[in-house]
Amino acid sequence: MRFVSANFLALFFLCTCSCVLYVWSRLEDRLGRHKRGLHGPGALFAYGKSADLSARTFRALLAVPAAQKSHRKSNTTDGHNSSNTGGDANKYHGHAAKMAPNKQDIVRLTEIIEDGIFWSQTLEDHLPVGFSEEHARTWRHRARGNLVVSLEPGCGRVSNQLATFSDGSKACVRYGINAEQIQGETLSYYLANLLGITNIPPSILSRLNVDGEQWGSVRRRVDGLQWSAGAIVSLTEWVANLTGVVTPAPLRQESKGLHPLLTELGNKTLPELLELVQWTDLIIFDYLTANFDRLVSNLFSLQWDARVMERDTSNLLRTPSGDLVFIDNEAGLVHGYRVLDMWERYHSTVLSSVCLFRKGTAKRIAELHRTRDTRMRLLYLYQDREPLATELGFLSDDHARTLQNRIDTLHKHIQNCKDRYSQL
């Protein structure tokens, strides 16, 4: 019995060795053919095609999701004009744009900057129009004359509603918890007008008179929302087909900022440069209004979310033509100034990261610094275009002084940038 068992084990051992040798020889043969250039029947098809497919698949992983995501975002109607604009649509869009840039869109560095710290006239001439005064005047007339036929969610928080007018156009209605929010939204819009910044949709004030003609059709809805009859609300033009915007690399925490010596500027396409031009206006605007609910809030959130800059920026959207749209500015001026001590170091950090400006914006800042009448000019513009201005109210004396002081600080920052870079 022992003899039979021993023979069986020996036979099993020999079979195992034979299998190992066979597998090893096949591996050697395959390795040899690989080293010799993959010669042999079917070798080129099996390996070469696979490699090509892998390369195509890698490109597809970058490009296809971008198109799909962008398409979904551009055809979504809910939340585009709201403060809840999360998502990574622009991150994918950015990857797709950088993969295959149009070489004809590359702008030479000498065509990007003029007089040391200003965006060139070449870029200014290509900037999207935004919301022109003619457009705003037409919209204000229509919004004041048309009836509100429905109210529904779609503009961020529950207290805001998406209104549809009798002509089919839409507006975001903001019902503020207090007057500060409505004042912030409205006065921020008129300050942008004063600075020549056209990235904010036109806005009007309206009284919730449910017994009147304009609001009578939605009386039941107004009652259901528990809005106070007679309250003053703001209506801002609703814009369709908007997508999210991610903070550009030069303005992120790991960057050295957006300045004239940034070598990456020469490698950017025209659309990328035009977006940066609008970002510099946004930073000026948010600094003056002390609006903490956009880039500043992202900077604050870095302490617990290291990747916050890689996601869409709050209250900032893009139109298909490339306009950046600054929405939900209710934190600006009034509320922003009231909590300024909490946020000022973040505002200063963001402002110090930029030393490139639009000439027109810088010129208006210089004029307001020289005349020191920002309060008077803003009040005149506000009262001239808004019939309910007196009832809603204006900036307090303290807040008006804060605005002028921030104008002065911004002018000094621009001058410091000029001193630093104009001679280089």
Side-chain angles (χ1 to χ4, degrees):
M1 187 66 182
R2 290 180 180 176
F3 178 78
V4 173
S5 298
N7 285 338
F8 178 79
L9 288 174
L11 181 61
F12 178 79
F13 177 77
L14 289 173
C15 291
T16 302
C17 291
S18 298
C19 290
V20 170
L21 288 172
Y22 175 80
V23 171
W24 180 257
S25 65
R26 295 295 293 174
L27 287 173
E28 280 192 318
D29 179 63
R30 182 168 296 184
L31 182 61
R33 283 191 294 138
H34 173 71
K35 289 181 177 179
R36 288 192 300 271
L38 302 171
H39 298 301
L44 182 60
F45 177 82
Y47 189 88
K49 283 286 187 180
S50 175
D52 183 62
L53 180 62
S54 298
R56 291 177 184 273
T57 304
F58 177 71
R59 294 187 185 96
L61 287 172
L62 290 177
V64 173
Q68 291 174 344
K69 187 89 176 204
S70 177
H71 178 75
R72 286 197 299 269
K73 288 281 282 187
S74 66
N75 288 281
T76 301
T77 57
D78 291 339
H80 277 164
N81 295 258
S82 69
S83 36
N84 300 326
T85 56
D88 295 329
N90 187 61
K91 179 171 66 175
Y92 292 105
H93 175 79
H95 280 311
K98 292 176 182 177
M99 279 173 48
N102 184 343
K103 292 183 179 180
Q104 294 179 349
D105 283 343
I106 298 295
V107 183
R108 292 192 300 270
L109 195 57
T110 54
E111 298 177 328
I112 296 173
I113 300 167
E114 292 178 357
D115 301 333
I117 62 167
F118 298 114
W119 297 110
S120 70
Q121 190 61 47
T122 300
L123 293 179
E124 293 265 5
D125 291 343
H126 284 87
L127 272 177
V129 175
F131 303 95
S132 67
E133 174 50 34
E134 181 181 356
H135 169 87
R137 184 168 52 250
T138 301
W139 185 86
R140 288 195 299 267
H141 178 75
R142 289 168 54 198
R144 289 189 175 116
N146 286 315
L147 309 183
V148 178
V149 296
S150 71
L151 292 172
E152 58 188 326
C155 290
R157 59 179 61 89
V158 178
S159 61
N160 299 338
Q161 292 284 292
L162 179 63
T164 301
F165 292 109
S166 51
D167 67 350
S169 62
K170 298 176 184 292
C172 280
V173 183
R174 173 167 284 98
Y175 178 86
I177 298 173
N178 53 50
E180 281 189 358
Q181 294 175 306
I182 308 301
Q183 287 175 331
E185 180 77 10
T186 306
L187 295 176
S188 291
Y189 169 68
Y190 285 111
L191 179 62
N193 286 192
L194 195 62
L195 297 171
I197 296 174
T198 61
N199 298 82
I200 302 179
S203 180
I204 64 168
L205 297 176
S206 179
R207 185 181 297 283
L208 282 175
N209 182 5
V210 293
D211 294 323
E213 188 176 9
Q214 184 169 40
W215 292 95
S217 298
V218 292
R219 177 170 188 162
R220 183 175 298 178
R221 177 64 174 163
V222 169
D223 291 342
L225 291 167
Q226 297 184 333
W227 286 358
S228 299
I232 294 179
V233 297
S234 67
L235 281 74
T236 304
E237 181 182 11
W238 187 87
V239 186
N241 300 322
L242 299 179
T243 53
V245 182
V246 174
T247 304
L251 297 175
R252 297 186 189 180
Q253 71 276 15
E254 68 274 9
S255 172
K256 294 183 180 179
L258 183 54
H259 54 80
L261 300 183
L262 191 66
T263 56
E264 290 84 353
L265 290 176
N267 297 322
K268 293 191 176 298
T269 63
L270 182 58
E272 289 172 331
L273 288 169
L274 294 177
E275 183 169 314
L276 287 177
V277 174
Q278 295 175 82
W279 267 94
T280 57
D281 266 357
L282 173 64
I283 287 171
I284 283 177
F285 178 64
D286 279 357
Y287 177 78
L288 291 179
T289 61
N291 189 337
F292 54 85
D293 200 16
R294 207 154 13 228
L295 186 57
V296 164
S297 63
N298 279 1
L299 193 62
F300 175 74
S301 299
L302 282 172
Q303 56 191 311
W304 58 75
D305 184 359
R307 303 189 64 181
V308 66
M309 293 289 190
E310 300 173 26
R311 290 187 284 277
D312 288 350
T313 304
S314 297
N315 302 329
L316 182 64
L317 298 168
R318 181 195 291 110
T319 69
S321 61
D323 300 70
L324 295 188
V325 183
F326 312 164
I327 64 167
D328 284 8
N329 298 290
E330 62 187 12
L333 293 172
V334 187
H335 183 60
Y337 287 175
R338 186 164 59 79
V339 297
L340 189 56
D341 289 345
M342 182 187 307
W343 296 99
E344 179 65 336
R345 68 187 183 100
Y346 298 102
H347 289 299
S348 298
T349 297
V350 173
L351 179 61
S352 66
S353 70
V354 174
C355 261
L356 276 171
F357 313 94
R358 285 183 60 203
K359 278 187 179 180
T361 309
K363 183 178 180 180
R364 297 194 184 210
I365 294 296
E367 177 68 11
L368 293 172
H369 166 72
R370 184 183 65 81
T371 59
R372 301 191 61 77
D373 59 354
T374 308
R375 179 189 186 279
M376 184 187 71
R377 294 193 190 199
L378 181 59
L379 178 60
Y380 174 80
L381 186 64
Y382 173 46
Q383 291 181 339
D384 179 62
R385 297 182 184 174
E386 183 48 66
L388 293 174
T390 304
E391 294 189 49
L392 180 64
F394 187 62
L395 299 176
S396 67
D397 290 343
D398 284 345
H399 288 167
R401 280 192 293 271
T402 300
L403 174 57
Q404 185 63 57
N405 289 339
R406 295 180 86 74
I407 290 281
D408 298 340
T409 300
L410 178 55
H411 175 72
K412 182 179 179 180
H413 173 68
I414 294 173
Q415 290 301 118
N416 290 339
C417 288
K418 185 178 291 187
D419 293 342
R420 181 177 180 182
Y421 291 109
S422 290
Q423 304 303 320
L424 298 179

